[in-house]
Amino acid sequence: MLVHGAYADGSSWSDVIPLLQRAGLTVTAVQNSLTSLAGDVAATNRALDRQDGPTVLVGHSWAGTVISEAGNHPRVTALVYVAARAPDAGEDFTALAAKYPTPPANAGLVHHDGYAQLSESAFLADFAGGVGQARARALYAVQGPIAGDLFQGRTTTAAWRDRPCYYSISTRDRTTAPELERFLAERMNATTIEVESSHLAMVTHPETIADLILMATRGTRGGPSNSRG
């Protein structure tokens, strides 16, 4: 099950989905409202309730917070984080992130009527860096506005403490600091890869991300740490 992050929708997984389906997996992409943590967790749990077997839960960016809360669902067997947040229970993630370099994308946030989006220039250069121009502009067109207080939501649990975890670090990320991603991956003792990618590694390196998800479905915990894709 694939959960998208902020400034995006489920189509951000469209390059990974056919690779997983080709491998014989049943794939679901959750569509989040991005209006509250509780709402996005509820959407993910509704999708999990419809699954008919063991499920690997995958989150990109903001969705790392969502899967950290929803990941204790009884059908979830492993968690995969793609350049994703991974707060501890009750943790102020904004305060944690402030200890690391400020990503350039932050300067491109545009606020209006209680919601926020990335400007087109910030989206193309920072969020979707390395993505082809036509594809990046299409992703910008479906960008999901987020509630202005979305990132203030705090989890009540940290499922990564109880589930096998996998983490893909984007080394050229201009939306989340790679240094923060490395800290999170190490804290959760995740099987970790590093991808020379912007924030959207599932778009620029879909085969690498699909392989990591397939590793999680096999329950492989002995994969190479900090390998590159």
Side-chain angles (χ1 to χ4, degrees), residues 89-145:
E91 184 172 48
D92 184 341
F93 192 83
T94 300
L96 173 64
K99 299 177 181 179
Y100 294 87
T102 301
N106 285 18
L109 278 173
V110 179
H111 298 268
H112 183 70
D113 289 339
Y115 287 83
Q117 287 183 288
L118 289 173
S119 68
E120 184 171 7
S121 59
F123 190 98
L124 298 180
D126 300 323
F127 188 76
V131 179
Q133 180 79 357
R135 180 69 189 285
R137 293 188 67 198
L139 289 167
Y140 172 74
V142 300
Q143 176 186 184

Side-chain angles (χ1 to χ4, degrees), residues 2 13 16 19-20 23 25 56-60 67 78-84 164-170 185 188 190-195 201-202 205-229:
L2 310 173
W13 295 106
V16 172
L19 299 174
L20 299 177
L25 300 184
V56 171
L57 192 55
V58 185
H60 171 246
I67 71 172
L79 302 169
V80 180
Y81 292 79
V82 181
C165 294
Y166 301 77
Y167 200 110
S168 174
I169 296 165
S170 291
M188 67 173 67
T191 296
T192 303
I193 64 172
E194 294 202 359
V195 184
M202 66 279 204
H205 294 71
E207 295 88 356
T208 301
I209 300 305
D211 285 347
L212 184 64
I213 296 169
L214 290 170
M215 183 187 296
T217 67
R218 295 191 295 267
T220 305
R221 293 288 290 165
S225 179
N226 296 319
S227 62
R228 293 186 177 271

Side-chain angles (χ1 to χ4, degrees), residues 31-99:
Q31 295 286 6
N32 286 325
S33 67
L34 303 176
T35 56
S36 70
L37 173 60
D40 289 353
V41 169
T44 301
N45 277 326
R46 284 194 297 272
L48 284 168
D49 288 342
R50 295 194 299 270
Q51 302 304 297
D52 59 3
T55 302
V56 171
L57 192 55
V58 185
H60 171 246
S61 192
W62 155 253
T65 300
V66 178
I67 71 172
S68 293
E69 180 76 10
N72 283 326
H73 191 286
R75 288 196 174 92
V76 175
T77 57
L79 302 169
V80 180
Y81 292 79
V82 181
R85 297 171 174 236
D88 207 345
E91 184 172 48
D92 184 341
F93 192 83
T94 300
L96 173 64
K99 299 177 181 179

Side-chain angles (χ1 to χ4, degrees), residues 135-202:
R135 180 69 189 285
R137 293 188 67 198
L139 289 167
Y140 172 74
V142 300
Q143 176 186 184
I146 70 168
D149 60 355
L150 180 68
F151 296 153
Q152 296 176 22
R154 298 194 188 187
T155 58
T156 62
T157 187
W160 48 264
R161 292 192 175 276
D162 301 307
R163 295 288 191 275
C165 294
Y166 301 77
Y167 200 110
S168 174
I169 296 165
S170 291
T171 62
R172 298 180 180 177
D173 203 322
R174 293 170 61 86
T175 302
T176 300
E179 297 89 341
L180 174 57
E181 295 175 20
R182 291 189 182 99
F183 166 78
L184 297 171
E186 182 176 357
R187 181 169 71 169
M188 67 173 67
N189 193 31
T191 296
T192 303
I193 64 172
E194 294 202 359
V195 184
E196 293 184 9
S197 171
S198 69
H199 197 55
L200 295 179
M202 66 279 204

